[in-house]
Amino acid sequence: MTLKIYLSGEIHTDWRNQIIKGAADLDVVFESPVTHHDASDDCGVAIMGPEDKKFWHDNKGANLNAIRTRHGIENADIVVVRFGEKYKQWNAAFDAGYAAALGKSLIVMHGPEHQHPLKEVDAAARAVVEEPKQVVDILRYVLFGKLP
């Protein structure tokens, strides 16, 4: 059984690569949003033309990115959403809510400092973890029923 995993959230660390490398021997495929910050922000105006107002610049980018994000979440078996330490990731919270509303198996990853602010997001998740290795261990358990 091949599991489709969508990796959403924080883009400033290598957590995605850690999961992908750790799961290299598993029957899984990964999909993610565009993680190059400038490309993600500027995709709308780069493809559809410039905007005079920053709101419309951002709106074009957000709508274009939403095509990729919605496709990835809707087609995923499991959605992993990471909340980083530095920035408020409203898009990550939105992705977690969207995945939960679709009935997707949701794994939320964050440090203890976000436990209280993310309590409602955590309550919608099937698992809440702090480290990428824990996600890999969950995938291995789901696929094979084996503990680390």
Side-chain angles (χ1 to χ4, degrees):
M1 140 176 84
T2 300
L3 290 178
K4 296 177 188 171
I5 316 297
Y6 188 77
L7 302 174
S8 175
E10 182 262 316
I11 64 170
H12 302 284
T13 63
D14 72 339
W15 68 273
R16 283 180 181 85
N17 288 335
Q18 291 178 48
I19 291 172
I20 292 167
K21 286 180 184 176
D25 63 329
L26 301 179
D27 191 8
V28 294
V29 293
F30 293 99
E31 193 172 340
S32 296
V34 172
T35 58
H36 184 277
H37 202 216
D38 291 339
S40 176
D41 284 351
D42 297 336
C43 64
V45 295
I47 294 170
M48 296 181 284
E51 289 293 339
D52 293 333
K53 296 188 177 184
K54 182 70 170 143
F55 174 85
W56 294 113
H57 175 282
D58 290 345
N59 185 272
K60 277 184 175 180
N63 278 300
L64 230 109
N65 285 317
I67 296 169
R68 182 182 178 103
T69 300
R70 286 183 182 187
H71 178 269
I73 292 172
E74 289 169 2
N75 289 293
D77 297 305
I78 298 172
V79 176
V80 179
V81 180
R82 173 167 165 72
F83 293 86
E85 294 137 21
K86 282 186 162 185
Y87 305 98
K88 291 181 166 77
Q89 289 109 34
W90 306 118
N91 59 326
F94 187 87
D95 290 355
Y98 187 56
L102 292 174
K104 299 295 177 175
S105 293
L106 177 62
I107 300 170
V108 173
M109 185 180 355
H110 61 74
E113 70 278 3
H114 290 320
Q115 182 275 320
H116 180 74
L118 291 173
K119 64 186 177 295
E120 286 83 4
V121 174
D122 290 351
R126 296 289 173 244
V128 179
V129 300
E130 293 184 17
E131 300 296 329
K133 183 187 179 314
Q134 293 173 295
V135 174
V136 175
D137 290 342
I138 289 169
L139 297 176
R140 193 172 311 284
Y141 179 77
V142 168
L143 286 166
F144 304 114
K146 293 184 180 178
L147 296 173

